Amino acid sequence: MRHKIKTGAVALAAAFLVAPVVLSNAPAQAAKGQQGVDWSKYQGNNGVFGSPQDKFAIAQVGGYYNGYFVPQSTYATQVQYTIAQGKRAHTYIYAQFANNAEADQMLNYYLPKVQTPKGSIVMLDVESGNPDTDSVLYALKRVQDSGFTAVLYGYRSFLTSHLDLATIAKQYPLALAEYPDYNVTKSPNYNYFPSFDNIGIFQFTSTYNAGGLDGDVDLTGITDNGYKGTTTSSAGGTKVKPVTTTPAIAAGQKANNTANSDIKIGDTVKVNFSANHWATGESIPSWVKGQNYKVAEVSGSKLLLSGINSWINWSNTEILSVTGTTAASSNSTYTVQSGDTLGGIAAQYGTTAAALASLNGISNPNVIYVGQQLKFTGGATTTSRTYTVRGGDTLSGIAYQLGTTTAALASRNGITNVNVIYPGQSLAY
């Protein structure tokens, strides 16, 4: 988790499903020795895996920096897509706090936003600032008392220099990071294992893929936590549904339970790693495999994928999200992605381009841009809008522009000092 937001002064597959057979209350497959990843916004809305064999993902819900909040807009969909691929989703908070009051402020804000099931990991990423043992123990206890598996993450050298790590490890599992270099690494090198008591997860690389991706290995089976409920067996293998649900998990399970033969235009699919040929017979380039695409057209058992304009048999894809799924996301907004059109987004949400344009104040429905936040109707029960702070902005100026007040913006976003905002900060209004 070394690659964090740095802004201003703040350092910041499942295979296709057929006729699932439900085995109620069967135990989860042991996770000991399985690999996975951890994500922040840099892995995008869908997340990125380092290997088709990865079994879990730990997504960042946001960061806290001694009073400042940096929520991650990618969190809910990363959880959703992880579940849709039959993998186990967990949560982490980048946690820079120095006392119990700051721990409370952080957890009061982020715990209600957790979209992974009760029992799942909520990890505190403590690798900067001036933490102390008492406040870290206090924060971990609050996480545990909220019904999650509390885990402390960090680099051993930093943690041992600031905390009584041995005392913490007697009560809570650790996730420690150590690696010799930044070369692409696909499996753990235990010659660099940061030996300590009660390590549940070992982060063995920050370059699981070229360009940067954190790779982890589960040493104890801890990533099964939260997923020891109903087991589903299908042609794609064994999947475990969490006992509890959240909007993101409900969306992921909807995709997980959708047969590929029911794929519709606007659905998001991933090309299987095992697929070798397009429906037209040409070989599929390796870079295509494992990537996500929207379905542009459906013809019988063949799909036309937008972005590459190639036909593929639906049996060679994995469903990530189904039409309208994103409406279940708790933030009730959609972030425009490359290749999107207003008409396509409108169809995905069961509305019209004209209605979407009117709702979002878009004068030309042919002009939208990557990263634009769109409100939607058609399934959402609440609406939420966001504004991204730019260089030179002030909170009062933003409030005036948005037709609200400085106090209302500060309260909505947990801002304690109205004179301190920073470029890239996302403000809800």
Side-chain angles (χ1 to χ4, degrees):
M1 300 176 193
R2 178 164 290 179
H3 302 292
K4 294 296 177 290
I5 301 169
K6 292 182 172 62
T7 309
V10 182
L12 306 196
F16 68 98
L17 306 175
V18 292
V21 178
V22 176
L23 308 174
S24 297
N25 299 320
Q29 182 178 353
K32 185 176 180 179
Q34 291 179 349
Q35 293 181 192
V37 292
D38 58 72
W39 294 331
S40 66
K41 70 175 186 178
Y42 299 110
Q43 281 70 53
N45 288 329
N46 302 351
V48 176
F49 285 98
S51 163
Q53 284 74 46
D54 286 336
K55 299 299 184 184
F56 63 89
I58 310 172
Q60 186 187 154
V61 64
Y64 177 84
Y65 304 85
N66 298 108
Y68 302 107
F69 297 91
V70 185
Q72 301 275 287
S73 62
T74 52
Y75 169 72
T77 51
Q78 286 179 348
V79 172
Q80 171 189 324
Y81 289 177
T82 301
I83 298 294
Q85 295 175 74
K87 303 178 192 291
R88 300 182 293 273
H90 299 277
T91 300
Y92 81 91
I93 304 167
Y94 190 93
Q96 182 177 300
F97 62 99
N99 52 58
N100 290 7
E102 289 185 347
D104 279 332
Q105 186 182 41
M106 172 182 70
L107 296 175
N108 289 343
Y109 182 81
Y110 282 120
L111 283 177
K113 300 179 186 299
V114 171
Q115 292 282 291
T116 52
K118 290 294 185 180
S120 66
I121 293 167
V122 172
M123 187 157 61
L124 301 183
D125 179 353
V126 178
E127 56 179 283
S128 63
N130 293 290
D132 68 84
T133 302
D134 288 343
S135 61
V136 169
L137 283 170
Y138 174 80
L140 290 167
K141 185 177 187 302
R142 274 208 56 187
V143 171
Q144 198 78 26
D145 290 346
S146 297
F148 299 102
T149 298
V151 175
L152 175 63
Y153 166 91
Y155 297 88
R156 187 181 67 173
S157 58
F158 179 86
L159 294 176
T160 55
S161 66
H162 288 79
L163 306 172
D164 180 355
L165 193 59
T167 294
I168 294 173
K170 290 177 181 178
Q171 301 178 54
Y172 300 98
L174 307 178
L176 296 186
E178 188 76 34
Y179 26 88
D181 52 46
Y182 298 104
N183 297 324
V184 173
T185 303
K186 293 297 185 180
S187 59
N189 182 346
Y190 289 104
N191 291 322
Y192 290 89
F193 183 71
S195 297
F196 211 86
D197 291 336
N198 201 14
I199 301 177
I201 296 173
F202 171 34
Q203 186 189 105
F204 60 87
T205 184
S206 63
T207 43
Y208 201 7
N209 284 347
L213 175 67
D214 293 334
D216 307 310
V217 59
D218 182 339
L219 301 178
T220 64
I222 193 171
T223 62
D224 269 348
N225 290 4
Y227 295 87
K228 296 180 179 179
T230 301
T231 300
T232 301
S233 179
S234 72
T238 299
K239 301 174 179 57
V240 181
K241 298 180 182 180
V243 175
T244 57
T245 190
T246 69
I249 287 177
Q253 289 295 347
K254 182 178 180 182
N256 201 1
N257 294 330
T258 301
N260 283 47
S261 56
D262 292 334
I263 293 175
K264 301 176 182 65
I265 294 173
D267 289 349
T268 301
V269 299
K270 175 174 283 192
V271 176
N272 282 340
F273 282 92
S274 59
N276 294 315
H277 298 91
W278 296 115
T280 50
E282 293 92 345
S283 295
I284 298 176
S286 59
W287 62 266
V288 168
K289 299 181 182 182
Q291 300 299 318
N292 306 319
Y293 303 95
K294 286 192 176 180
V295 176
E297 192 173 339
V298 178
S299 178
S301 62
K302 299 177 182 178
L303 312 173
L304 182 64
L305 304 183
S306 64
I308 52 177
N309 295 320
S310 294
W311 289 90
I312 190 170
N313 294 319
W314 57 257
S315 59
N316 287 325
T317 63
E318 304 162 359
I319 298 176
L320 293 182
S321 65
V322 295
T323 304
T325 296
T326 313
S329 175
S330 62
N331 62 11
S332 301
T333 61
Y334 176 82
T335 303
V336 176
Q337 302 171 50
S338 178
D340 276 344
T341 64
L342 199 64
I345 296 169
Q348 183 176 349
Y349 288 105
T351 184
T352 66
L356 202 55
S358 176
L359 185 64
N360 289 276
I362 297 172
S363 57
N364 184 346
N366 296 313
V367 179
I368 56 177
Y369 54 89
V370 174
Q372 184 176 2
Q373 295 281 324
L374 300 178
K375 298 180 296 181
F376 59 81
T377 57
T381 57
T382 61
T383 58
S384 176
R385 296 163 293 177
T386 59
Y387 176 88
T388 302
V389 177
R390 304 180 179 92
D393 276 346
T394 64
L395 198 64
S396 59
I398 295 169
Y400 178 82
Q401 179 182 341
L402 299 177
T404 184
T405 66
T406 303
L409 271 183
S411 175
R412 181 78 182 270
N413 293 277
I415 297 172
T416 56
N417 185 343
V418 297
N419 297 313
V420 180
I421 57 175
Y422 49 87
Q425 184 176 4
S426 182
L427 301 178
Y429 67 98

